[in-house]
């Protein structure tokens, strides 16, 4: 085997190895992006549901104040504040 064919063989091995490495890295990056996207969607769902819950708490306390249920106005507002802050802390 002469030097020229040895150089061609080594170059070919490097090219094939680099191509295989590029494919593996691309698949791993794609999998990581898929996991990130799924986590982002789940977190968005948690945030949206927390906003809905906070709106429901606000609506129910306003209804409780208007109908006189749930104790005094200060008690209802204190409960509203406590629950809203807990929802904010969760999300």
């Amino acid at each position: 085997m002469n030097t020229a064919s040895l150089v061609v063989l080594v170059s070919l091995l490097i090219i094939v190895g680099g191509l295989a490495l590029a494919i593996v890295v691309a698949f791993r990056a794609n999998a990581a992006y898929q996991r990130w996207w799924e986590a982002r969607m789940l977190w968005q769902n948690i945030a949206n549901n927390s906003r809905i819950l906070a709106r429901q708490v606000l609506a129910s306390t306003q209804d409780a104040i208007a109908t006189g249920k749930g104790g005094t106005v200060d008690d209802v507002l204190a409960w509203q504040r406590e629950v809203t802050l807990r929802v904010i802390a969760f999300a």
Side-chain angles (χ1 to χ4, degrees), residues 78-89:
W79 182 83
Q80 176 189 28
R81 178 175 168 76
E82 179 183 348
V83 172
T84 304
L85 288 177
R86 287 182 188 215
V87 169
I88 291 170

Side-chain angles (χ1 to χ4, degrees), residues 28-81:
R28 288 181 55 101
N30 189 28
Y33 180 75
Q34 291 291 333
R35 286 192 305 271
W36 176 84
W37 187 259
E38 183 180 359
R40 181 193 164 290
M41 295 301 291
L42 291 172
W43 187 256
Q44 181 180 358
N45 192 15
I46 289 171
N48 287 340
N49 288 336
S50 296
R51 287 187 199 108
I52 291 169
L53 178 60
R55 279 194 303 265
Q56 288 176 343
V57 166
L58 293 175
S60 68
T61 53
Q62 294 304 320
D63 186 49
I65 291 171
T67 59
K69 296 179 182 176
T72 65
V73 173
D74 291 334
D75 290 340
V76 172
L77 291 177
W79 182 83
Q80 176 189 28
R81 178 175 168 76

